[in-house]
Amino acid sequence: MQTSSFTLSNSITNLKPRNHRLLNLPSPLTSSSVSLHPVNGISTNRLPSISCSLSPKTLGHWLSTPERQSDGFQAKAASADSADAGDVAAVATKSKLAETLVLGSLFGLWYLFNIYFNIYNKQVLKVFPSPITMTTVQFAVGSVIVFLMWTLNLHKRPKISGSQLLAILPLAMVHTLGNLFTNMSLGKVAVSFTHTIKAMEPFFSVVLSAMFLGEMPTPWVVASLLPIAGGVALASMTEASFNWAGFWSAMASNVSNQSRNVLSKKFMVKKEESLDNITLFSIITIMSFFLLAPVTLLTEGVRVTPAYLQSAGLNVQQVYIRSLLAAICFHAYQQVSYMILQRVSPVTHSVGNCVKRVVVIVTSVLFFRTPVSPINSIGTGVALAGVFLYSQVKRLKPKKA
C-alpha cells in the first residue's frame, strides 16, 4: 500500500520562503517524501524532526466519517420523533377515551336523577298536593347544596356585583315559574302526559326567539314543529288522566323555561368569566328560593311541620324522606345537565334531552302502571320524533344572501 510521508526538519523561526516552489508539496494520495532543507544557513538541529504518515484508506475514512455520523444522527432523530409521535397519539387516545367515559357517565346520571325526581316527586304530590310548598323545599335543599359546594371548595365561590344580580333576576323569576308550573302539572296529571306536553318546548323556543331576538326559523325548522304539535294534540285527546289544569300548567312551564333561554341570550351575552354555567345555575337556585318563600307563606302557609302532616293523616317520615330525595335529585339532574352543556354543543344537548324524555315517559308508565292507549302511544311517539327531527334540522344553517 502506498503511503505519504511528510518530514519536517526545519526551524519555524523566521521561516519566510520567498518562492513557493521551494516547498514542492506533492499530492497526499501518492507515495512521496518531502524534506525542508535549511534556508539561508539556518540550522535544522534546533527542532526535532516531525513525521506524519497518512494512508489513502485512513484519509478516506476521516473524510467519510462526518457524513456517516450525520446519517446515524438523522436516523436516531427520526426514530426519536416517531417514538414521540407515538407517545403523543397514545396519550391523546387515552385522553379521548377518558373524556368519552366521563361524558357517558354524566348522561347516565342525568337520566337517573331525572327518573328518580319524577317518581319521588309524584309520590309526594299524590298525598300532599301542595306544589308551591314542594317547589320551595326543592329550592331550599338546592341552596343548601350550593353553599356546601362553596364551603368545601367543590366549586369556586363567585364574586357577584349588583349589576350582575339585576341581570340574573329575570332569569331567576322565569326559572322559578317554570319549575313551579311543572310541579303543578305533575300533581294534576300523569308524569308521562306532563312530559309529552313538555315536548312542545321547541315550538315556544322558535316563537319567542323570533319575537324577542329576531331569529327567524328556517323552513326545515318550521316543518319539524308540525309533528310535535300534532303528536301532543293526539296524545292529549286520548290521555286518561287529562285535565285542563294539568295541561295548561305544563304549557306555562314550556313558556317559562323557553323565556329563560331567550333571556339568557338577551341579557347574559357578555357575562363575566366567573359566571360559568354551574355558577349561574347556583345563583339562580338561591334567588329562586328567596323569591318563592314569601309567596309560599302567603298562599299555602307552613305545611311541612309534623303536626300538619299528621293532621292530614300522612306518614311524616315517608313524606320527609321522599321530599328530600326528590329535592336532591331535582338539583342534581339540573346541575349535571349544565355540566354536560359545558362539554357538548347545544344541539347534542338537545338530542340528549329528547332521549331523556323518552326514558322518563317509559319508566313512569311502567312504574306507576299508567294506562296508555295505542293512539296515545302513537301521539307521544310522533311528538318525540318531531323533537328529534327539530334537533337535527337546527344543525342546518340558513344560506347567507
Side-chain angles (χ1 to χ4, degrees):
M1 179 178 295
Q2 293 181 344
T3 61
S4 299
S5 177
F6 298 89
T7 303
L8 303 179
S9 55
N10 195 1
S11 174
I12 301 178
T13 306
N14 295 325
L15 183 59
K16 297 181 180 180
R18 296 179 180 178
N19 192 346
H20 291 283
R21 294 180 180 178
L22 293 175
L23 296 177
N24 193 22
L25 293 176
S27 171
L29 298 179
T30 59
S31 177
S32 61
S33 177
V34 177
S35 297
L36 299 182
H37 298 283
V39 178
N40 297 329
I42 299 176
S43 174
T44 61
N45 295 328
R46 295 181 183 180
L47 291 176
S49 62
I50 302 174
S51 298
C52 177
S53 295
L54 294 175
S55 67
K57 181 177 180 181
T58 304
L59 185 61
H61 175 72
W62 286 357
L63 292 176
S64 62
T65 297
E67 183 178 355
R68 293 177 183 176
Q69 289 178 347
S70 176
D71 292 341
F73 177 77
Q74 290 176 357
K76 291 180 180 179
S79 177
D81 290 342
S82 300
D84 291 341
D87 292 341
V88 171
V91 171
T93 302
K94 290 181 180 179
S95 177
K96 188 175 181 179
L97 179 60
E99 185 179 351
T100 302
L101 291 175
V102 170
L103 186 60
S105 301
L106 289 176
F107 269 98
L109 290 174
W110 187 22
Y111 294 177
L112 192 65
F113 285 136
N114 204 289
I115 290 170
Y116 278 106
F117 161 71
N118 283 278
I119 291 175
Y120 288 128
N121 200 34
K122 181 63 177 180
Q123 287 178 332
V124 174
L125 288 172
K126 271 186 176 181
V127 299
F128 183 65
S130 302
I132 302 178
T133 299
M134 282 298 300
T135 308
T136 304
V137 169
Q138 290 163 7
F139 285 137
V141 173
S143 300
V144 172
I145 294 175
V146 169
F147 281 117
L148 285 176
M149 290 176 58
W150 289 346
T151 303
L152 299 176
N153 290 325
L154 299 178
H155 196 77
K156 184 179 179 182
R157 183 192 297 269
K159 295 180 180 179
I160 305 298
S161 63
S163 60
Q164 288 176 320
L165 289 177
L166 289 176
I168 297 173
L169 182 59
L171 303 180
M173 293 174 65
V174 293
H175 179 77
T176 304
L177 291 174
N179 288 283
L180 175 59
F181 285 132
T182 298
N183 281 339
M184 291 175 66
S185 179
L186 288 172
K188 296 293 184 180
V189 296
V191 174
S192 57
F193 184 55
T194 296
H195 283 276
T196 300
I197 302 172
K198 287 176 69 65
M200 286 282 290
E201 283 183 350
F203 175 83
F204 293 100
S205 176
V206 170
V207 172
L208 293 174
S209 296
M211 291 175 59
F212 297 101
L213 300 178
E215 298 179 358
M216 301 308 297
T218 64
W220 290 107
V221 170
V222 175
S224 69
L225 299 178
L226 297 178
I228 296 176
V232 170
L234 188 62
S236 301
M237 291 170 57
T238 56
E239 173 60 37
S241 65
F242 178 87
N243 65 69
W244 287 108
F247 176 83
W248 288 117
S249 296
M251 282 295 186
S253 174
N254 289 335
V255 175
S256 300
N257 289 333
Q258 297 311 309
S259 297
R260 178 188 61 194
N261 295 340
V262 171
L263 289 173
S264 297
K265 293 180 181 179
K266 191 173 182 64
F267 293 106
M268 301 300 293
V269 173
K270 297 181 180 180
K271 62 183 181 181
E272 303 294 336
E273 183 179 353
S274 60
L275 292 181
D276 57 87
N277 288 337
I278 303 300
T279 301
L280 182 60
F281 170 66
S282 300
I283 296 172
I284 287 176
T285 298
I286 297 172
M287 295 179 71
S288 296
F289 168 70
F290 285 107
L291 287 172
L292 193 58
V295 177
T296 305
L297 294 176
L298 292 174
T299 56
E300 295 182 350
V302 181
R303 297 185 180 181
V304 293
T305 61
Y308 180 89
L309 296 177
Q310 287 177 353
S311 65
L314 301 177
N315 186 325
V316 177
Q317 183 178 3
Q318 189 179 71
V319 171
Y320 278 173
I321 291 176
R322 289 179 178 178
S323 298
L324 179 61
L325 291 175
I328 293 174
C329 292
F330 169 78
H331 183 83
Y333 92 76
Q334 294 193 74
Q335 179 156 331
V336 172
S337 175
Y338 281 105
M339 293 171 66
I340 293 174
L341 191 57
Q342 287 182 331
R343 290 171 166 80
V344 300
S345 66
V347 175
T348 302
H349 187 272
S350 178
V351 174
N353 190 51
C354 178
V355 176
K356 180 210 71 178
R357 204 172 297 285
V358 174
V359 172
V360 170
I361 289 175
V362 173
T363 306
S364 65
V365 167
L366 295 176
F367 184 86
F368 292 109
R369 298 180 180 178
T370 306
V372 180
S373 66
I375 298 179
N376 184 277
S377 301
I378 293 173
T380 301
V382 170
L384 296 175
V387 174
F388 180 78
L389 180 62
Y390 168 82
S391 65
Q392 295 302 308
V393 299
K394 284 289 288 184
R395 299 174 185 267
L396 304 176
K397 296 182 180 180
K399 296 181 179 180
K400 297 182 179 180

